Amino acid sequence: TSNKLAPHANYLLGEQRQNTPSIEAIPDEDVPVDAIEAREALIHEITFSSDSNVIFQIAFQQYFVGGFGAFYVETEYDNDRSFDQNIRIKPIYDPTRAYWDVSAESPCKTDGMFAGRRTRTSRALFRSLYGESLERKIGNDTVDDYMVWSNQDSIMVVDHYERKYDTETLYRLDTGESIGEDEMKTLEMVEDEGVKYYLRNGFPVQVKDTREVPKYTIKHYKVAGDYVLEESEFPSKQLPMIFVDQNSFFEKDGRQRCRPFFKDCVDSQRYMNYIRTQAAYLLKVSRYDQFIGPKSVTKGEDTQQIWRDPLNVQGMLIYDDNPNGERPTRLEPPELSQSLTQQYLLAHDDIQSSCGIYNTQVGEQGNENSGKAVERRTKQSSYNTFVAFDALNRSITVCAQIIDEMIPTVYDTQRSMKLMMKDSGSRMVNLNMPSDVYGGKIENDMTKGTMRIRMQAGPSYEGQKEDARESIERIFQARPDTFELLGDLYVETLPVSNNIEIRNRVRTIIPPEIIQAGKTGQPLPPKPPQPNPEMMKIEMDFKIKQGQLQLQAQELQLEQAKFQREAQEGNQDAILKLQEIESRKQELAAETQNELMRYLAETGRTEADKEVAHAEQIVKLLTAHKPQEKTNARSR
């Protein structure tokens, strides 16, 4: 055998590990504004604490090789001494032990009426969990047509989830909001002058319309044999068993056929193995003799010893002379048929064209002769494998939706958790904490609202990364000064293993406001205009002159106070001096006003000169091509 599919599988598995996307949560209108950031950070914390990247990679490998994979969501206590529960994502190492409702329409089968998984538990562990008496009641040979439910060593435990259907009344208020029965029951009804209305958040509202809508509840049963070990209600509208589909199809009888990624390559791989087997057989039955000749040329004992040991290397290969002049003749080495080689190459090409992964994508030399041909081939390969990657992204999105539905029920008590916030980084965050003494306002209320979940792509696929790198390089060639805007994004597209460290170093020279603008899409605040040197000189002269006049006014004020004291004692000279000071003060006021008017005139003249220069420049630009236009007119 010559397994050509294993390197392709390992390549795609490695690429998936580098391209795991992140979850983006967008709040609906019913989420409290102050709790949006904490709610999104909580969803990320749940996926991170569950080691979700490893779980998603296990599911990817399962459906990539076997046609489908699976994982599930459950709750568990924070620790053995706590009543607080956390949401966790769990792997299913053998997806064939999971089952779903055939009537489910969602690709992930979370909208069916039941789903579950089977796990085998040793009898020793079963006794420690559920007691020895119950373990004895379950027989040792419970077997049906296709499953061993129990034997002397182990017991099959089934986690069965059943989705029950009911209806509830949906109310539309005059504010445009829609609420369910449970919230409607909490509103206080008031009647004023024969008009009935309800108080919601302190404001009067009325019901404008009602309709019946489906309401689902999910029951979880843990079953062993004929006994229900545990029973609880699962806090979500969707089943927690997530089916990960590679690219299945439905037959006419309604059966779903799951197709592994390499389903179409199996025959080509088997044919290649046949060719290699035939070639190996021909080599095996071929003789390895190098010479042919009569016995008479090897009569002597020393000659026979030389010819019997092919490893005996001498300066000359001797043989015995005979009367007929015969001697040994060299044989050509065995050769394989050219048709086998051609068929092997055809089978190899069939494998590449069937799975859509070509040599150039995995770093080998292909038959492409130019860079553009390599680029087109790489992009084609990325399109062929996109379906497989997108199937996992779809399942991750559904998983995040289930987590978001579970949060209001699971995280409904006061607690403090360490969350990674967007603006402040990792810190302790209070959930469901009253922010006033009356408990009227709740800090980071997790019990209200839902988020809309979508995926943010991880690093681009290899073909898209190369396109992005070339596009950014063209921008650098046109505008070399844009490196501070795109430097970190350019580093992400480089085909190097330590691009994270390089990117972090490049980010040290990129202004933080530019990175933030790239995340939010908001434009940067306008830079303050550069000061005009001429305007700065005019303003400086005005301030100096204004300071001198103010100093003179202060000196006059001091003199005026001095002579006022003397004038009160009847000094005629002081009275005359006061009159002179008053006259001088009026002169200073006039001079100050004159300086202000001169300053305003100078600044106005400078602005006018700028406008005139700008207008002249526009006139020059508009009239620059007039002679050429006249020449063209004369030629016509």
Side-chain angles (χ1 to χ4, degrees):
T1 60
S2 176
N3 192 348
K4 296 295 183 180
L5 301 181
H8 293 330
N10 292 333
Y11 166 77
L12 291 178
L13 290 172
E15 186 175 351
Q16 168 57 33
R17 295 187 182 187
Q18 297 178 2
N19 291 284
T20 301
S22 59
I23 298 171
E24 182 182 17
I26 304 173
D28 283 338
E29 296 180 355
D30 53 355
V31 179
V33 177
D34 58 343
I36 292 175
E37 186 179 4
R39 182 71 167 266
E40 184 175 4
L42 179 58
I43 295 176
H44 285 283
E45 172 62 22
I46 292 171
T47 57
F48 177 78
S49 299
S50 304
D51 203 5
S52 59
N53 283 346
V54 176
I55 297 173
F56 297 152
Q57 290 158 14
I58 292 173
F60 180 82
Q61 185 173 7
Q62 289 171 350
Y63 77 77
F64 192 79
V65 177
F68 72 98
F71 58 91
Y72 68 101
V73 184
E74 70 171 6
T75 58
E76 63 182 18
Y77 286 102
D78 197 9
N79 53 66
D80 293 338
R81 308 290 295 177
S82 174
F83 286 95
D84 292 333
Q85 287 189 324
N86 290 317
I87 302 172
R88 290 291 179 262
I89 307 171
K90 297 290 184 178
I92 299 178
Y93 295 102
D94 184 1
T96 62
R97 291 180 174 267
Y99 59 91
W100 293 268
D101 181 11
V102 295
S103 63
E105 296 182 357
S106 168
C108 297
K109 301 188 181 301
T110 57
D111 62 340
M113 299 309 295
F114 64 86
R117 62 187 180 92
R118 299 181 290 267
T119 56
R120 188 160 293 280
T121 306
S122 67
R123 286 188 172 270
L125 178 59
F126 191 89
R127 283 194 299 268
S128 64
L129 293 175
Y130 303 107
E132 185 175 356
S133 60
L134 182 58
E135 183 265 333
R136 289 180 177 178
K137 293 179 181 179
I138 301 177
N140 295 338
D141 54 355
T142 307
V143 182
D144 58 19
D145 293 338
Y146 66 97
M147 188 69 65
V148 177
W149 293 96
S150 62
N151 54 33
Q152 61 181 0
D153 298 321
S154 62
I155 297 174
M156 184 77 74
V157 178
V158 180
D159 285 279
H160 181 76
Y161 297 89
E162 188 172 340
R163 194 163 178 248
K164 298 182 180 296
Y165 173 82
D166 199 358
T167 60
E168 69 170 342
T169 304
L170 184 68
Y171 297 86
R172 185 174 68 180
L173 307 179
D174 55 0
T175 59
E177 299 174 281
S178 298
I179 61 176
E181 285 184 359
D182 295 337
E183 188 175 359
M184 191 67 186
K185 293 177 182 179
T186 62
L187 303 183
E188 179 184 358
M189 187 179 68
V190 180
E191 185 173 356
D192 185 13
E193 297 181 357
V195 178
K196 295 182 180 180
Y197 58 89
Y198 297 87
L199 291 178
R200 187 167 189 263
N201 298 327
F203 296 95
V205 295
Q206 289 184 317
V207 177
K208 289 298 184 181
D209 195 6
T210 62
R211 73 182 184 94
E212 295 296 317
V213 295
K215 179 182 179 181
Y216 293 98
T217 57
I218 297 177
K219 286 289 187 178
H220 173 216
Y221 304 96
K222 189 179 286 290
V223 182
D226 296 330
Y227 301 93
V228 177
L229 307 177
E230 298 176 11
E231 181 178 349
S232 61
E233 185 170 329
F234 187 77
S236 176
K237 299 177 182 178
Q238 302 184 69
L239 295 170
M241 303 294 300
I242 301 173
F243 177 82
V244 191
D245 182 20
Q246 197 281 130
N247 191 14
S248 64
F249 66 94
F250 287 87
E251 295 182 339
K252 293 182 178 180
D253 59 359
R255 293 187 180 184
Q256 184 176 7
R257 296 294 183 182
C258 297
R259 303 179 73 256
F261 183 81
F262 292 118
K263 174 69 174 178
D264 298 328
C265 308
V266 174
D267 289 341
S268 298
Q269 175 65 70
R270 186 178 292 114
Y271 183 51
M272 176 180 287
N273 291 340
Y274 291 156
I275 296 172
R276 297 299 295 268
T277 302
Q278 181 66 20
Y281 174 75
L282 292 177
L283 290 175
K284 179 180 179 180
V285 300
S286 299
R287 298 186 62 86
Y288 293 94
D289 304 289
Q290 302 179 23
F291 292 89
I292 187 172
K295 291 182 179 181
S296 59
V297 297
T298 56
K299 289 181 179 179
E301 293 183 3
D302 55 344
T303 307
Q304 292 179 2
Q305 183 64 30
I306 292 173
W307 283 88
R308 287 171 181 168
D309 185 6
L311 299 180
N312 187 3
V313 179
Q314 303 183 57
M316 179 179 65
L317 185 61
I318 64 174
Y319 65 93
D320 296 330
D321 201 2
N322 60 19
N324 298 328
E326 296 173 334
R327 62 179 181 176
T329 304
R330 178 179 290 276
L331 297 175
E332 292 297 329
E335 293 185 3
L336 295 178
S337 172
Q338 291 295 324
S339 62
L340 288 178
T341 304
Q342 294 176 359
Q343 292 299 316
Y344 175 82
L345 295 176
L346 289 175
H348 188 268
D349 292 341
D350 287 343
I351 290 177
Q352 294 189 42
S353 60
S354 297
C355 66
I357 303 176
Y358 297 89
N359 289 335
T360 52
Q361 188 176 6
V362 296
E364 298 180 2
Q365 181 64 42
N367 56 3
E368 296 80 7
N369 298 322
S370 65
K372 288 190 175 296
V374 172
E375 178 183 353
R376 286 195 297 269
R377 180 72 78 185
T378 305
K379 185 179 295 185
Q380 178 185 356
S381 299
S382 297
Y383 293 152
N384 291 332
T385 58
F386 176 77
V387 174
F389 288 101
D390 186 63
L392 180 61
N393 296 346
R394 179 176 56 198
S395 302
I396 296 175
T397 303
V398 173
C399 176
Q401 292 173 354
I402 295 174
I403 292 174
D404 181 62
E405 293 176 0
M406 297 172 64
I407 285 178
T409 303
V410 178
Y411 296 89
D412 60 344
T413 58
Q414 300 179 17
R415 66 170 80 180
S416 295
M417 297 183 64
K418 194 171 186 178
L419 302 178
M420 181 63 70
M421 310 298 284
K422 284 185 177 179
D423 299 331
S424 55
S426 179
R427 64 181 177 88
M428 296 300 296
V429 178
N430 295 326
L431 303 181
N432 306 314
M433 293 287 186
S435 57
D436 56 16
V437 295
Y438 303 103
K441 185 173 179 57
I442 303 299
E443 178 184 1
N444 295 323
D445 190 356
M446 296 291 106
T447 63
K448 296 180 180 179
T450 57
M451 308 283 280
R452 286 180 286 115
I453 306 298
R454 68 181 184 184
M455 302 305 297
Q456 282 184 329
S460 303
Y461 302 131
E462 294 304 319
Q464 297 172 353
K465 287 171 65 176
E466 186 175 350
D467 291 343
R469 182 169 63 254
E470 293 179 355
S471 300
I472 297 176
E473 287 175 350
R474 285 195 290 267
I475 295 176
F476 287 162
Q477 292 175 0
R479 290 285 303 274
D481 57 335
T482 58
F483 185 81
E484 289 190 356
L485 298 175
L486 304 172
D488 58 332
L489 301 179
Y490 177 71
V491 171
E492 289 183 357
T493 65
L494 295 178
V496 293
S497 58
N498 62 337
N499 62 344
I500 296 179
E501 182 178 353
I502 299 176
R503 181 183 60 190
N504 292 338
R505 294 188 183 187
V506 170
R507 279 190 170 184
T508 60
I509 64 175
I510 298 179
E513 59 270 15
I514 293 180
I515 297 177
Q516 185 64 23
K519 294 179 179 179
T520 62
Q522 299 297 327
L524 294 175
K527 295 183 178 180
Q530 296 294 330
N532 189 345
E534 185 178 359
M535 292 289 294
M536 291 178 62
K537 183 177 183 305
I538 294 173
E539 185 176 1
M540 183 61 68
D541 294 342
F542 171 71
K543 289 183 177 180
I544 293 174
K545 187 65 175 177
Q546 190 179 34
Q548 293 174 351
L549 294 176
Q550 289 177 352
L551 182 61
Q552 294 180 19
Q554 292 175 359
E555 293 175 352
L556 288 176
Q557 190 72 21
L558 295 175
E559 290 184 12
Q560 186 179 21
K562 174 184 174 183
F563 289 115
Q564 281 179 347
R565 289 194 300 271
E566 295 179 1
Q568 291 176 356
E569 298 175 357
N571 191 338
Q572 293 295 325
D573 293 337
I575 295 174
L576 293 175
K577 195 66 175 177
L578 283 173
Q579 293 176 353
E580 293 178 1
I581 291 174
E582 190 66 29
S583 176
R584 179 58 182 161
K585 286 175 64 178
Q586 293 177 0
E587 292 176 359
L588 284 175
E591 189 173 355
T592 302
Q593 184 67 22
N594 187 30
E595 287 294 331
L596 177 61
M597 297 299 294
R598 183 181 293 112
Y599 168 73
L600 295 177
E602 288 290 334
T603 55
R605 180 188 60 79
T606 304
E607 292 294 333
D609 291 344
K610 289 174 57 179
E611 294 294 334
V612 171
H614 180 64
E616 291 177 351
Q617 185 67 22
I618 293 177
V619 171
K620 290 180 181 180
L621 293 174
L622 294 176
T623 58
H625 298 288
K626 279 191 174 182
Q628 181 68 27
E629 293 176 358
K630 292 180 180 179
T631 303
N632 294 339
R634 286 196 298 270
S635 65
R636 289 194 295 269

